[in-house]
Amino acid sequence: MSDTPPRIILATSNGTGMGHLARQAAVALALSGPVEPIVFSLSQAVHVVTRHGLRAEYCPSHHRNWMPHLSWHGYLGKRLTALLQETRARVLAFDGVAPYLGLLRARAAHPDVAFVWIRRGLWRANANRRALASRAFFDLVVEPGDLAAAADRGATASLSDAVPVAPITVLEGNPPLSRAEAAAALGLDPDRPTALVTLGAGSINDTRTPALAAIRSFLATPDWQVAVTRAPLALAVLPAADVARVHELVGVYPLARYLAAFDAAVGAAGYNTVHELLPAGVPTLLVPNLATATDDQIGRARYLAAGRLALCVENDSAEAITLGVARLVDPAVRAELAKACKALPAPSGASATAELLTQLMDGYATHQPSLHERIRTIDLDMRARAMRTLGPSGTTAVRRVLGRLPVAGPVRPLGVRPLITDDLDPDVLRREHPVEHLLPGSSTAYRLRRLAIAHDAYRWPTDGARMPLA
């Protein structure tokens, strides 16, 4: 009998934030017994999950532009196939709003593996409908709960194909610290009112970024101190005395453990922010990111504000944020928000999802393609064949006629030798030079297979020399 533990691969898309990665980390922590979760992510932030003791592998997304776009889908399919063969995983669960063609190819190549789509709801109206055609490829769809689910007007709102669970958040598997412990760990004064600002930094010379507007508004009240997850690059415009009251949180993960240190927060209305701050009882001003492709942040923020669970602004102008923070520093407003949030149920979606995956793994036999899946497979193959025939330039021309974005990436393999490593160093992952990351502890056979996949993708000249594996 094999000593290999049963394994589940938790895959994530690239995304615009930490939502996909954080949910999969939460599910991984909730898996019990002998099951080993392995994270496979297109996000350069994947290194954070190793702090939970998880094994993880990074795969560059097509947004890195390291290979032709169509080639990338084939590359992704080969990467997933190699990982499934190496780990002998019985389940692959993908968290993302649009399953990639490479993922669907891996599905077709592994009928003995259960494929699951963790599909968050609350999509923008009329956004991403084409992605739903991939539903037939999956043996199970899980929908993480959303505190604003009643406001959902997106493409998934009327569907009944998913198993709903409560919100999925790392709060569930990470016991919170006390205020004194959290403040000490973050270098904050526990006796002063403290605000958390989690908005982006903005451009380097912009002194009117949303984050800076929020910081200035809190600092206008002398007692407040402010913690920021990303220091605005224009912070130097503040008086020195004010800068001393601003604390940058570097490398703090998971932030959910430290939320008792904060009396108020300003953040985007994304899934992670909402489902960490509100259940933790932190009075919050939501600033919706209106540039998201699928996530309906304005709908989420408006609904929660109408339910008196949070404050929200309709745009990220300095004027709107200043007015919002002026309300948030009012003790009576914060007390009302905290009381409403205290009535929210504790998050339990991670353990529910882990149980669904374990049950599916234990009783799974084989995937039986439906007629819809067979038709969709033929359609995808025909599209891929057409793109190969047209080439990148021809495909871009056709996409423009159809009103779609042009094909990104180079028109041919780069001809460069990537760095091959099993170290998830974030500085290395952020480099412009291609990186091939290997699952730590993988076999020699897997490393050789990955070398062949990389060479096919990048076509570097070897001059007959064998490439060393870092």
Side-chain angles (χ1 to χ4, degrees):
M1 181 178 290
S2 173
D3 294 329
T4 301
R7 289 170 176 150
I8 292 177
I9 292 176
L10 301 170
T12 84
S13 64
N14 188 42
T16 57
M18 286 281 291
H20 304 295
L21 201 55
R23 280 194 295 272
Q24 293 290 51
V27 172
L29 292 175
L31 286 167
S32 59
V35 178
E36 181 190 5
I38 293 173
V39 177
F40 176 90
S41 180
L42 308 184
S43 171
Q44 295 171 63
V46 64
H47 62 92
V48 300
V49 305
T50 63
R51 301 183 193 181
H52 297 298
L54 302 171
R55 281 205 296 165
E57 183 172 282
Y58 167 71
C59 176
S61 77
H62 59 84
H63 295 295
R64 299 306 304 271
N65 292 332
W66 285 346
M67 61 190 73
H69 186 79
L70 183 59
S71 299
W72 180 84
H73 289 285
Y75 165 82
L76 176 63
K78 293 174 184 176
R79 285 284 304 265
L80 288 170
T81 288
L83 186 62
L84 286 169
Q85 293 172 343
E86 168 69 11
T87 62
R88 299 179 184 177
R90 301 180 190 176
V91 175
L92 186 151
F94 169 74
D95 190 309
V97 295
Y100 305 101
L101 174 58
L103 174 68
L104 303 183
R105 286 176 174 171
R107 149 71 308 158
H110 292 274
D112 57 327
V113 177
F115 273 56
V116 179
W117 187 2
I118 300 177
R119 191 186 69 200
R120 174 188 51 72
L122 213 71
W123 294 6
R124 286 176 176 269
N126 300 315
N128 204 38
R129 289 184 175 275
R130 293 178 62 205
L132 294 177
S134 301
R135 167 61 182 95
F137 289 82
F138 294 91
D139 302 288
L140 173 68
V141 176
V142 177
E143 181 173 312
D146 197 307
L147 293 175
D152 196 341
R153 302 293 181 268
T156 67
S158 61
L159 301 181
S160 58
D161 63 332
V163 176
V165 297
I168 300 176
T169 165
V170 292
L171 277 174
E172 186 177 344
N174 289 274
L177 299 175
S178 68
R179 182 180 178 90
E181 292 170 329
L186 300 178
L188 300 169
D189 183 347
D191 297 322
R192 301 182 69 171
T194 306
L196 172 67
V197 176
T198 63
L199 299 173
S203 60
I204 191 166
N205 294 316
D206 188 355
T207 59
R208 292 173 59 84
T209 65
L212 192 60
I215 292 168
R216 277 176 157 158
S217 300
F218 282 114
L219 295 178
T221 303
D223 290 342
W224 282 80
Q225 62 186 339
V226 182
V228 294
T229 52
R230 285 178 61 193
L233 299 174
L235 201 60
V237 303
L238 295 174
D242 284 347
V243 172
R245 289 194 282 149
V246 180
H247 304 261
E248 185 180 3
L249 306 182
V250 180
V252 177
Y253 176 86
L255 187 58
R257 291 198 67 205
Y258 304 88
L259 293 180
F262 304 110
D263 302 280
V266 178
Y271 189 95
N272 255 31
T273 299
V274 163
H275 294 94
E276 289 181 9
L277 292 175
L278 271 56
V282 181
T284 301
L285 172 66
L286 297 174
V287 184
N289 179 356
L290 304 181
T292 57
T294 305
D295 193 22
D296 184 11
Q297 291 201 12
I298 187 68
R300 183 180 290 116
R302 285 172 175 167
Y303 180 84
L304 296 173
R308 298 179 182 271
L309 289 166
L311 303 180
C312 84
V313 294
E314 294 289 314
N315 61 72
D316 63 1
S317 69
E319 293 76 13
I321 290 174
T322 299
L323 291 173
V325 171
R327 292 182 61 199
L328 194 60
V329 297
D330 183 332
V333 172
R334 294 203 311 280
E336 181 183 0
L337 293 173
K339 181 180 179 180
C341 288
K342 190 174 182 179
L344 293 173
S348 60
S351 55
T353 302
E355 184 175 354
L356 287 170
L357 298 182
T358 303
Q359 290 175 349
L360 181 61
M361 177 182 67
D362 291 341
Y364 191 76
T366 186
H367 178 72
Q368 298 293 339
S370 65
L371 177 61
H372 186 186
E373 180 181 344
R374 294 177 190 275
I375 293 173
R376 179 63 174 159
T377 299
I378 294 172
D379 175 56
L380 292 172
D381 288 342
M382 290 178 64
R383 288 172 185 263
R385 203 170 302 164
M387 289 175 70
R388 280 193 294 269
T389 301
L390 291 169
S393 298
T395 300
T396 294
V398 171
R399 290 179 67 86
R400 280 177 175 157
V401 170
L402 296 175
R404 298 174 187 165
L405 293 174
V407 174
V411 297
R412 60 181 61 86
L414 296 180
V416 299
R417 188 169 70 179
L419 170 67
I420 297 186
T421 179
D422 57 8
D423 184 10
L424 275 177
D425 183 338
D427 291 331
V428 172
L429 300 188
R430 284 192 291 264
R431 290 178 188 173
E432 290 305 313
H433 189 82
V435 176
E436 287 289 299
H437 179 256
L438 300 164
L439 181 70
S442 53
S443 67
T444 300
Y446 179 67
R447 291 168 175 255
L448 292 174
R449 174 63 181 146
R450 286 289 310 283
L451 181 60
I453 294 171
H455 190 274
D456 187 52
Y458 297 105
R459 306 277 177 86
W460 70 87
T462 58
D463 297 325
R466 184 179 178 184
M467 180 181 174
L469 299 179

